């Protein structure tokens, strides 16, 4: 149980275009979803936290107009990287928590590797 | 500020035991997590400690001392597939997860 999927698993796009990444909890309703980015050989950097039906809470330094997060339902959150630039190339990972989780642990999706040319 | 320290890299031999340490300084404490992350993949949950002591789960055990701000992950009977990064994360008083940079564990035959 507690499976999280992400789509696409990898994407290559041209500079200036927008990219949407979907995160779904497949067998549970997610109370909260998180979006992270991770650069090579570095740890996870939390970008934002979102709850269904409410605006995402962005971490300091993360541009909310550039990284649009929509949490439309208890099983789906999307991250849209608008006007992507090469410096946005990274590994983007979503995670979710569920009220049935014993310790509030986060369940991670498989990640999306974004390359902006 | 909030800080979590782990060694950057460790090397161990197949079949042996390795201990990965994590020290933390956070505003409040509401539990400590260990995650495993294979290269190019997302993290997977390994263990959770909120009270002092040792939690054992098969080949993996995790220890916590809240007074010392210290935890370790103990891996026994190491296998090649245990080669991965191990992330320590602490949940602070605001229930925010503070992540360590991770320890890359290299297993040699």
């Amino acid at each position: 149980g507690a499976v999280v999927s992400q789509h696409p698993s990898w994407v290559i796009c041209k500079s200036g275009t927008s990219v949407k990444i979907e995160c779904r909890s497949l067998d549970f309703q997610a109370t909260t979803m998180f979006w992270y980015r991770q650069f090579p050989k570095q740890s996870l950097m939390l970008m934002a936290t979102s709850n269904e039906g409410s605006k995402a809470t962005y971490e300091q330094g993360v541009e909310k107009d550039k990284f649009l997060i929509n949490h439309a339902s208890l099983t789906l959150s999307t991250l849209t990287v608008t006007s992507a630039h090469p410096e946005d190339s990274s590994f983007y990972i979503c995670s979710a928590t569920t009220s049935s989780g014993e310790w509030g642990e986060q369940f991670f999706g498989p990640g999306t590797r974004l390359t902006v040319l | 500020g909030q800080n979590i320290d782990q060694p950057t890299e460790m090397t161990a031999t197949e079949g042996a035991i390795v201990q990965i340490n994590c020290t933390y300084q956070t505003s409040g404490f509401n539990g400590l997590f260990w995650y495993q992350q294979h290269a190019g993949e997302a993290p997977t949950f390994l263990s959770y400690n909120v009270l002092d002591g040792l939690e054992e789960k098969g080949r993996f055990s995790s220890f916590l001392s809240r007074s010392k701000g210290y935890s370790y992950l103990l891996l026994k009977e190491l296998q090649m597939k245990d080669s991965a990064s191990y992330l320590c994360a602490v949940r602070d008083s605001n229930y925010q997860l503070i992540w360590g940079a991770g320890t890359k564990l290299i297993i040699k035959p």
Side-chain angles (χ1 to χ4, degrees):
Chain A
V3 178
V4 177
S5 71
Q6 266 183 255
H7 179 79
S9 54
W10 60 269
V11 57
I12 301 172
C13 69
K14 291 183 179 178
S15 188
T17 60
S18 294
V19 174
K20 180 187 280 190
I21 303 170
E22 288 188 352
C23 175
R24 293 182 185 271
S25 54
L26 298 185
D27 52 0
F28 66 98
Q29 292 187 327
T31 46
T32 305
M33 285 185 164
F34 305 84
W35 286 97
Y36 294 87
R37 65 187 298 184
Q38 186 176 36
F39 293 105
K41 300 184 180 179
Q42 295 187 24
S43 191
L44 301 169
M45 287 174 43
L46 179 66
M47 298 175 68
T49 303
S50 75
N51 295 291
E52 183 259 342
S54 60
K55 288 184 180 179
T57 302
Y58 289 81
E59 294 299 299
Q60 197 170 8
V62 177
E63 300 173 58
K64 57 184 69 175
D65 293 332
K66 179 167 185 63
F67 298 100
L68 301 178
I69 292 172
N70 185 289
H71 196 152
S73 74
L74 284 172
T75 59
L76 173 64
S77 176
T78 60
L79 167 68
T80 301
V81 183
T82 62
S83 187
H85 290 284
E87 58 264 30
D88 298 324
S89 298
S90 187
F91 191 47
Y92 291 86
I93 312 174
C94 73
S95 70
T97 54
T98 167
S99 57
S100 59
E102 192 169 351
W103 302 292
E105 65 271 33
Q106 294 182 23
F107 299 94
F108 286 85
T112 297
R113 190 161 300 282
L114 171 64
T115 302
V116 185
L117 302 176
Chain B
Q2 310 208 85
N3 194 51
I4 296 188
D5 287 315
Q6 314 178 224
T8 304
E9 188 173 296
M10 298 181 71
T11 302
T13 305
E14 191 177 15
I17 299 173
V18 71
Q19 177 175 310
I20 303 173
N21 295 326
C22 169
T23 58
Y24 63 88
Q25 289 142 356
T26 56
S27 52
F29 178 84
N30 280 298
L32 184 145
F33 298 84
W34 283 96
Y35 283 84
Q36 180 191 60
Q37 185 177 25
H38 284 100
E41 299 180 14
T44 54
F45 170 74
L46 285 179
S47 68
Y48 174 73
N49 295 72
V50 68
L51 299 176
D52 291 349
L54 188 69
E55 294 284 342
E56 296 187 76
K57 216 184 207 183
R59 293 190 299 117
F60 293 4
S61 304
S62 56
F63 171 84
L64 174 67
S65 168
R66 288 171 296 170
S67 62
K68 295 181 180 177
Y70 168 70
S71 172
Y72 67 72
L73 180 69
L74 191 71
L75 292 75
K76 302 176 186 175
E77 301 168 19
L78 286 170
Q79 302 175 8
M80 297 304 291
K81 67 178 182 179
D82 297 329
S83 292
S85 286
Y86 291 86
L87 307 174
C88 172
V90 173
R91 191 159 54 192
D92 68 10
S93 57
N94 293 320
Y95 277 77
Q96 289 267 57
L97 262 191
I98 312 301
W99 292 87
T103 298
K104 182 179 180 180
L105 178 63
I106 299 167
I107 310 296
K108 295 187 173 177

